[in-house]
Amino acid sequence: MTKNTASAKAKSGVLSMTPLDQSVDEAEKTYYLFSAKLKALISTLTDHHEAILAFNRSQMQTTTAICEFLINSPLSQCLIGASTDENNPIVLRYKHDESKEDKDGKLNEHASKKTKADSKKTKADPSTKNDTTGRNNNLWSSGSTHLFDSAIENGTNFDKVEASFVAVLNATNDLNLTHAKNYMKWVIGYLVELEEILSTRIEGNLFQFRQMRQVYAHYTDKVQGLIDKVGKKKKGASSSLQDKLERNRLKLSGAEEAHNEFGTVLLAFMEEVTLRYFKDFIALLHMIIQLSINHSADVASVMKKFEETDAGLQRLCAEHGISIAGRLEELRPEARKLDKQAPMEELIISGEEKKEEDNSSVES
């Protein structure tokens, strides 16, 4: 491309493209594809969080339905524990309390607002280090591999839950809500914060870089125009024209230096984010694993109480002379009781013979 062509393009509003400009434009396309995938992942994780709460609601609705059906039967002690007093809190707890879920349901909106507020503090400067917020700085500076204490370790005493059907499921309900809250705060919150930091920094710097490109193109065009004017002077350019050319050459040099320095740092940052993004997802996987380990350990500790509950059911079966497997066979009509040892072919044949006997009796 000749200087005259470049000047014409600059005058027409089309910026000349340096190799750096082309590289930044390509990196920008890659960044926006990466950003779209990151937002889609946040949406998927948010759906998972909502699924945790939905499962919890379903479990408590099931608990309520079972209790309403059996609360006045001999199974009441296994259901609600030793007390049968209707005013006992453990009896009342099987009536599902949605207040905790309502509170947790607002966490997503709260986390999003918080991270947006925090991200405004991030400077749109390509030389700025990719610092995280105070929450993550405190998190990683602890140097601990156990970032999330389990609910039991925090003293909520889920391991001391009474061995009854309602008490155990109420405790797991609380654990699930705590898990959903932590999942929103640490897992989804981390990605929301990451997306906010990257979008604020990269998109802000891209806007600034475009302005630098315009300034660079402006002085490129201006200097070329002055050079053309000096060349047309057969008797030599005036001193004022020469001074003007030198001043604009200095401005062009400064614009070019700022453009190249800013663009190089911006390009390196975008490539770091979009090509080596696995570095940012190590923390995400670590948090998911730690949360899952601690949540599963807490739930297992609580569910172990079901062994005592099940032992109570075994004793109740012994008292009433029934099998723990149920009594479906006993409840079947005598004509439908089938010999489990008889081959299926014999059962089909006997059924057909019975039908023929019935037809014969009708004809006679």
Side-chain angles (χ1 to χ4, degrees):
M1 179 185 294
T2 65
K3 291 183 178 178
N4 290 334
T5 305
S7 176
K9 286 196 171 184
K11 288 180 179 178
S12 65
V14 179
L15 300 181
S16 60
M17 294 288 289
T18 67
L20 176 60
D21 294 330
Q22 294 173 349
S23 298
V24 169
D25 287 348
E26 288 300 316
E28 181 182 1
K29 294 176 185 177
T30 303
Y31 160 71
Y32 279 113
L33 289 173
F34 169 82
S35 179
K37 290 174 66 176
L38 181 59
K39 290 175 181 177
L41 178 58
I42 293 172
S43 177
T44 299
L45 292 174
T46 302
D47 289 343
H48 179 63
H49 172 264
E50 293 173 358
I52 294 173
L53 296 179
F55 168 79
N56 222 40
R57 284 193 295 271
S58 177
Q59 178 174 272
M60 294 312 296
Q61 289 167 359
T62 301
T63 304
T64 299
I66 292 173
C67 285
E68 287 178 344
F69 199 85
L70 298 170
I71 194 68
N72 295 319
S73 75
L75 286 169
S76 61
Q77 186 168 341
C78 291
L79 285 171
I80 61 174
S83 176
T84 57
D85 181 3
E86 291 185 357
N87 294 320
N88 189 310
I90 196 64
V91 180
L92 298 176
R93 271 296 301 278
Y94 85 85
K95 298 293 186 182
H96 182 41
D97 179 9
E98 295 183 353
S99 60
K100 291 186 179 181
E101 288 186 20
D102 294 340
K103 188 182 298 182
D104 284 336
K106 299 177 182 178
L107 283 172
N108 191 11
E109 180 181 358
H110 173 72
S112 178
K113 288 182 179 178
K114 178 183 181 301
T115 51
K116 286 181 180 178
D118 290 340
S119 66
K120 290 180 181 178
K121 302 177 184 178
T122 306
K123 294 181 179 179
D125 180 359
S127 63
T128 303
K129 292 182 179 180
N130 187 19
D131 292 333
T132 53
T133 64
R135 173 177 68 82
N136 281 330
N137 282 335
N138 293 334
L139 182 68
W140 301 121
S141 63
S142 66
S144 171
T145 56
H146 303 288
L147 301 178
F148 313 99
D149 291 335
S150 65
I152 292 174
E153 291 171 349
N154 282 341
T156 44
N157 296 324
F158 285 122
D159 56 337
K160 298 179 182 178
V161 171
E162 185 180 10
S164 70
F165 186 79
V166 172
V168 170
L169 290 182
N170 277 333
T172 58
N173 172 67
D174 290 342
L175 284 171
N176 291 338
L177 292 178
T178 299
H179 177 64
K181 179 180 177 181
N182 289 332
Y183 190 86
M184 174 61 72
K185 177 181 178 181
W186 296 105
V187 176
I188 299 176
Y190 173 82
L191 282 186
V192 168
E193 189 172 337
L194 175 65
E195 192 277 330
E196 289 288 343
I197 289 172
L198 295 182
S199 62
T200 300
R201 183 172 173 181
I202 292 177
E203 292 170 27
N205 288 342
L206 281 169
F207 176 78
Q208 192 172 346
F209 183 65
R210 292 188 193 101
Q211 290 180 318
M212 288 182 170
R213 285 169 67 173
Q214 290 177 345
V215 173
Y216 181 30
H218 168 73
Y219 283 109
T220 299
D221 173 65
K222 194 169 184 179
V223 167
Q224 184 60 46
L226 291 171
I227 291 174
D228 292 342
K229 282 184 179 181
V230 170
K232 290 177 182 178
K233 301 289 183 179
K234 295 181 180 180
K235 295 182 180 182
S238 64
S239 59
S240 61
L241 184 59
Q242 289 286 1
D243 291 342
K244 187 175 183 180
L245 175 59
E246 289 305 314
R247 287 197 306 272
N248 281 277
R249 275 177 170 164
L250 288 174
K251 292 179 181 179
L252 173 60
S253 177
E256 181 180 14
E257 183 179 353
H259 166 273
N260 292 344
E261 182 179 347
F262 193 95
T264 300
V265 175
L266 174 59
L267 176 62
F269 182 70
M270 286 196 293
E271 289 179 343
E272 176 65 27
V273 169
T274 58
L275 300 180
R276 289 173 283 278
Y277 54 86
F278 75 91
K279 297 178 180 180
D280 300 305
F281 281 78
I282 292 174
L284 178 75
L285 292 177
H286 176 64
M287 287 185 281
I288 292 174
I289 289 170
Q290 287 293 314
L291 284 174
S292 299
I293 289 173
N294 287 331
H295 176 61
S296 299
D298 285 346
V299 171
S301 178
V302 172
M303 286 296 183
K304 193 169 180 62
K305 295 291 182 178
F306 266 156
E307 294 178 357
E308 298 178 40
T309 310
D310 193 58
L313 293 175
Q314 302 260 11
R315 289 192 296 271
L316 193 62
C317 285
E319 292 174 9
H320 292 270
I322 56 178
S323 169
I324 194 68
R327 53 174 190 163
L328 294 180
E329 293 300 324
E330 295 179 24
L331 296 176
R332 295 182 191 277
E334 284 295 326
R336 295 181 60 188
K337 282 189 177 180
L338 304 177
D339 182 4
K340 293 182 180 180
Q341 302 300 322
M344 184 57 68
E345 293 83 354
E346 294 182 11
L347 298 178
I348 294 173
I349 294 172
S350 62
E352 292 175 349
E353 292 175 349
K354 176 65 176 175
K355 184 184 290 186
E356 289 177 1
E357 292 178 0
D358 293 340
N359 291 336
S360 299
S361 61
V362 171
E363 292 175 358
S364 60

